[in-house]
Amino acid sequence: MAAQAPSSQREIRRRNLSRVLYAVAEQGPSSRAAVAARLGLTRTAVSTLVDELLRGGLLTEQGPTPPGGGPGRPGTALALTDSGPCGLGAEIGVDHLAVCAVDLRGRVRVRKEIEYEGRDSRPATVLPRLRGLLDEVTAQARELGLSPAAVAVAVPGLISLGTSTVVRAPNLGWHDTDIAPALAAADANARAKADAVSKADAARDAGAKADAAAEAGADAEAGVKRRSGPAARAKATEGVSASTVKKATASRVGAAAAAKTPEEAWVQVAGTRLPLIVDNEANLGALAELWLDGGRVPRDFVHVSAEVGIGAAIVLGGELLRGNRGFAGEIGHVPVHPDGPLCACGGKGCLEQYAGEPALLGAAGVSVDRPRDAALAALRESAASGDERALRALEEAGTALGLALAGTVNLLDPSALVLGGVLARFAPWLLPSLERELVARTAAPGAPPDLVVSGLGADGPLLGAAHTAVRVVLDDPLSYRAKITG
């Protein structure tokens, strides 16, 4: 058996394999020579790395590169594969669940979404439904030749740093909820139900065969025939069900205990054990802006998004600033009027009470006794038609946002402020008063940071989650290849 390469050599190889994948991802189809020039590596080194990635099914060859790329014969164009590994992204909203599968090229290949009444719903109700969506999307992805490599979940709440635990999600009513074992328990319950149905069917088949045998015996007693009929079958089914429940309970406990290692969370999806990443929705929305918005966003910015709540994410030098416990960015609970109304967090006068979706709809006089999208469409229509109450509500929300963001700007000096989610949808009416507050309250001389309206809209957190899962492969192709080759 060959000796294992020194750790440093393995790390260099791991890093360079990742660099090749990212180079192709950023440039599009590229020759080996173009990748070598971009990375500052020799062509021989890049060819060796590319061959390994081709064998691992992460790169594919697409034929000659277009002419005009330099002297000599055209090279072979390399591209990320559109089959094989994909990332599963999931979003838990206050009124919806969404799951999508994104391939290595960044394309959404499968997407499923359901609406539900999520506010104050128990995790035991919501997470099994999410579990079902994950299984559905995985099944459809596999039909397209894709195999999930990781799962990332966006949650509107505080996530303990480096764990899958939702410490608090006020708008969901969740506290200290570890998503990994909860999803494992949902999977165990689903398998237990399937086993129970299967065993009940087997018991019915056995009863039917017994009936046939009894009827065939001419000398059998009528009472024997009756005992092998429906009552006996029902009794047999009862016994199977009770046994299955006991086994399911043991399985559920075991699955929950094994779902998370001390360092990483895992989840079983459609029979495959996958890494599980859980993060705040604003963080994942910010990463989507950084990775997907075509260079419109600088590497230092604050991303602010709203649905029922309002969250922010701080990106400095292209990296998230998470804070000591992972709770950075809770701008929705910055008090803009300290004596204002009580917030779900327990504070008073929080930004959410003035610029969150329910507050905005209420101030505009828009009824919330209708689907969320219909209520938001009604508000937009009212604002576009010049309705004074709607315009005043949006102006006051923009003012509240400006008050909160002025402190953020003075503290962090970001290059841009990015508005996502519902804020992007109503940006034409929010921006004037928001910018007015920033100009009045920013201490530094000159213009305030650029105000950028997200091009991703409400899809930011879901896409950020899916691309985070994809990057599990791009960041460490060596480990992914070792996993699939066993």
Side-chain angles (χ1 to χ4, degrees), residues 350-379:
C350 295
L351 176 61
E352 284 186 5
Q353 301 305 304
Y354 300 92
E357 194 177 294
L360 192 54
L361 292 171
V366 176
S367 171
V368 294
D369 294 331
R370 64 178 92 181
R372 173 174 172 261
D373 282 346
L376 293 173
L379 175 57

Side-chain angles (χ1 to χ4, degrees), residues 17-37:
L17 287 168
S18 176
R19 292 177 67 202
V20 169
L21 287 179
Y22 275 110
V24 175
E26 291 164 7
Q27 291 183 167
S30 311
S31 68
R32 289 167 172 80
V35 172

Side-chain angles (χ1 to χ4, degrees), residues 292-466:
L292 307 177
D293 210 18
R296 293 174 64 235
V297 174
R299 290 174 63 79
D300 297 283
F301 67 94
V302 175
H303 175 259
V304 187
S305 61
E307 285 193 2
V308 171
I310 299 178
I314 303 159
V315 178
L316 299 176
E319 299 290 337
L320 279 172
L321 177 66
R322 295 184 175 275
N324 180 50
R325 294 175 293 167
F327 300 163
E330 286 298 304
I331 197 170
H333 300 291
V334 169
V336 291
H337 296 295
D339 296 325
L342 185 67
C343 180
C345 73
K348 287 186 176 182
C350 295
L351 176 61
E352 284 186 5
Q353 301 305 304
Y354 300 92
E357 194 177 294
L360 192 54
L361 292 171
V366 176
S367 171
V368 294
D369 294 331
R370 64 178 92 181
R372 173 174 172 261
D373 282 346
L376 293 173
L379 175 57
R380 186 177 176 86
E381 184 178 344
S382 295
S385 65
D387 179 82
E388 289 187 10
R389 188 172 178 183
L391 291 174
R392 186 168 59 253
L394 288 162
E395 181 183 11
E396 291 174 354
T399 298
L401 280 164
L403 285 168
L405 286 171
T408 303
V409 169
N410 287 330
L411 183 65
L412 298 174
D413 189 29
S415 299
L417 301 173
V418 181
L419 302 186
V422 171
L423 300 182
R425 190 170 181 176
F426 292 98
W429 301 281
L430 294 169
L431 286 178
S433 56
L434 193 165
E435 190 166 14
R436 185 168 60 245
E437 290 298 325
L438 287 177
V439 170
R441 298 176 185 277
T442 300
D450 293 336
L451 288 169
V452 179
V453 178
S454 170
L456 302 177
D459 285 340
L462 179 63
L463 293 175

Side-chain angles (χ1 to χ4, degrees), residues 276-291:
L276 173 66
I277 303 155
V278 180
D279 207 344
N280 175 269
E281 62 174 359
N283 286 344
L284 292 170
L287 291 176
E289 298 292 340
L290 182 67
W291 296 335

